[in-house]
Structure formats: C-alpha cells, structure tokens
C-alpha cells in the first residue's frame, strides 16, 4: 500500500563520525568504571562518573541552548573530559606520560576560547552579529578566566586535602627577600643539591618548589592554546564547518 512505506534515516558521514566518537569515549569510561570498582578506589569511581557525565555535556548544551557544535570541538571537549579525570587520574597519565598535564591545559585553552568566541552572539542577539575582533578579545579573556578559576580549584584542594594538584618542581636556586641580610634586600642560595628537614634529607637533588612554577606553566600553556584558536578563527576559510558554535537556526 502506498503511503505506508517505512522510512529510514540515513546517517551522514558527520553523524557516523560523531556516533563512533561517543561510542569510543563511552566504552573507555565504562572500562575505567569497572576497573575502579575492582581496585576498590572511591576517587577513581568518582572520576569515571565525572568523565561519563562530562562527555555528554556538548550534546546536552546543543539541546538546551539550541546550538550546533562542530565535530572537532566536540572531540576536544570530550578529550578533555576523559583526558583529565579518567586517563589522567585513573590510568595515571599525569605521572607516566610526559607533559600530559600541559597537553590538557593547552587543549582547554583552545576549547574554552571556542566557547568564549560564540557567547557574545548567543547572549546578545544583534543583527549582523558582533565583530570578530570583539569576539576574539572576549574569547581570550574568557578562556584565561576559566584557567584562573581552575588554578583556584587546585589551590584549595591542595590547601584543604593535601592532594598536590599543583605539582611540585625541583629547583636548585632560591631568591627571596626573606634570605636577605637587610630589610628590602634579596638573598640568594645557588647550586642546591640537598635539603634536610627535621633531620631527614629530602629524596631529591634540590629544593621543592610548592606549585608556583607548575601553576604559571599551566597558565602560559593555556594562553598558547587560546591564541591558536584565535588564529584559527581569523584565518579559517569556512567558519561554520570547523571549530565553531552557532545557533541551530543558522546551521
């Protein structure tokens, strides 16, 4: 009978790629959750739950805010969601993969700059949209604000729970006003090879910086990621098909 034919929806290549992306990240989170249960580690279990929740945030944002997020940005957000709590914490990539923390901060700079770039048009509807110069400036400031808030978060976790989120760095030179012979004079200790605390030598060849260098490195790396996105926005030929977020009506 005519009119009763079953209609099927054919997935386009971007739809297939997105399905594979979500399936892969979901499978990784499920594996991480099972492994965390086997290890009886509450922190790992919570990290796996957080990763599972966060990877679906782009899809939730699309539904609630009625926006479209390009596939590459979804991939970046999901990589952040899994790279930190799951790969970083549960699988210890922060400790066994060189510069893993810096990769995450650079990627976060890129991803949050993308969000900051679209916010002016989403918050304030304006015929013709806002100028790309204003949106780039807002994107840069927004991304660095997120980076600062994250460093606040790390600081308070270290302060209250001694979690060492702001990783220490071994240094061999110290310069401080507290070491000066007179008020307002800087004193310096160079070529530090050993430090003794309460009669016990530290098991490192130098002095331990308590997070300042790591924090500044993170901020600088995030700034580079943000700058890369701003350059992409300026020079990419097709704005709506790569590294973009826009209202669904304009898709």
């Amino acid at each position: 009978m005519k009119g009763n034919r079953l209609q099927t929806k054919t997935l386009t290549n971007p739809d297939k790629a997105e399905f594979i992306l979500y399936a892969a990240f979901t499978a990784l989170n499920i594996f991480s959750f099972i492994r965390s249960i086997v290890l009886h580690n509450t922190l790992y279990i919570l990290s796996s739950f957080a990763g599972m929740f966060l990877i679906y945030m782009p899809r939730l944002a699309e539904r609630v805010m009625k926006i479209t997020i390009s596939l590459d940005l979804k991939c970046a957000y999901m990589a952040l969601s899994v790279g930190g709590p799951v790969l970083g914490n549960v699988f210890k990539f922060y400790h066994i993969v060189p510069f893993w923390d810096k990769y995450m901060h650079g990627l976060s700079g890129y991803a949050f700059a993308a969000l900051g770039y679209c916010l002016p048009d989403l918050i304030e509807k304006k015929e013709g949209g806002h100028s790309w110069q204003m949106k780039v400036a807002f994107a840069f400031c927004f991304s660095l604000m997120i980076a600062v808030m994250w460093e606040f978060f790390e600081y308070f976790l270290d302060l209250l729970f001694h979690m060492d989120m702001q990783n220490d760095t071994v240094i061999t030179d110290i310069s401080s006003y507290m070491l000066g012979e007179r008020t307002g004079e800087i004193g310096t200790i160079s070529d530090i090879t050993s430090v003794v605390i309460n009669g016990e030598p530290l098991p490192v060849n130098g002095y331990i910086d308590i997070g300042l260098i790591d924090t500044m490195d993170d901020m600088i790396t995030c700034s580079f990621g943000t700058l890369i996105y701003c350059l992409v926005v300026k020079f990419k030929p097709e704005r709506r098909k790569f590294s973009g977020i826009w209202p669904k009506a304009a898709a």
Side-chain angles (χ1 to χ4, degrees):
M1 294 177 59
K2 295 182 179 179
N4 288 330
R5 293 179 180 176
L6 180 64
Q7 295 183 350
T8 59
K9 180 181 179 181
T10 302
L11 291 178
T12 64
N13 287 334
D15 290 334
K16 291 178 182 178
E18 183 172 336
F19 175 80
I20 293 172
L21 196 64
Y22 274 106
F25 280 112
T26 300
L28 179 59
N29 272 282
I30 292 174
F31 175 71
S32 173
F33 179 69
I34 295 172
R35 182 176 182 270
S36 301
I37 293 177
V38 172
L39 294 174
H40 303 288
N41 191 309
T42 304
L43 179 60
Y44 289 175
I45 293 174
L46 293 175
S47 295
S48 300
F49 264 125
M52 182 66 77
F53 171 75
L54 290 173
I55 62 173
Y56 286 96
M57 284 298 291
R59 179 167 288 185
L60 179 63
E62 285 185 320
R63 290 179 177 271
V64 174
M65 301 177 66
K66 294 180 172 55
I67 58 176
T68 297
I69 303 174
S70 63
L71 184 60
D72 65 301
L73 284 184
K74 285 182 181 178
C75 184
Y77 287 124
M78 285 189 277
L80 274 175
S81 302
V82 172
V86 176
L87 295 179
N89 289 333
V90 179
F91 294 97
K92 301 185 184 300
F93 275 33
Y94 284 135
H95 308 287
I96 63 178
V97 178
F99 306 111
W100 184 258
D101 181 53
K102 299 301 175 275
Y103 297 146
M104 292 295 99
H105 280 280
L107 185 60
S108 71
Y110 187 94
F112 285 112
L115 177 59
Y117 185 82
C118 80
L119 281 179
D121 287 337
L122 295 177
I123 294 174
E124 182 184 10
K125 307 297 182 181
K126 182 179 179 181
E127 186 176 352
H130 297 81
S131 68
W132 72 267
Q133 294 93 334
M134 188 278 286
K135 291 193 289 185
V136 163
F138 185 85
F140 200 91
C141 295
F142 179 80
S143 181
L144 291 189
M145 181 199 70
I146 297 295
V148 170
M149 296 301 294
W150 176 256
E151 295 302 328
F152 286 171
F153 174 70
E154 286 189 346
Y155 170 74
F156 283 112
L157 284 182
D158 289 352
L159 184 67
L160 299 176
F161 303 106
H162 308 289
M163 294 185 65
D164 195 24
M165 295 283 287
Q166 296 175 299
N167 295 325
D168 301 328
T169 304
V170 177
I171 57 177
T172 58
D173 298 279
I174 302 174
S175 296
S176 172
Y177 284 108
M178 297 181 69
L179 300 175
E181 295 182 357
R182 290 179 291 273
T183 301
E185 184 177 277
I186 297 175
T188 300
I189 302 177
S190 303
D191 301 322
I192 301 171
T193 58
S194 63
V195 175
V196 177
I197 298 179
N198 294 333
E200 295 291 331
L202 293 180
V204 294
N205 296 321
Y207 180 77
I208 297 179
D209 161 77
I210 55 172
L212 175 61
I213 293 176
D214 177 72
T215 296
M216 295 310 300
D217 285 347
D218 290 347
M219 295 289 292
I220 292 170
T221 304
C222 179
S223 299
F224 276 121
T226 302
L227 180 61
I228 289 173
Y229 179 80
C230 293
L231 292 174
V232 168
V233 166
K234 170 60 178 174
F235 294 108
K236 67 178 180 178
E238 298 181 23
R239 298 189 175 221
R240 294 198 180 279
K241 294 184 178 179
F242 183 76
S243 294
I245 304 174
W246 55 90
K248 277 192 180 296

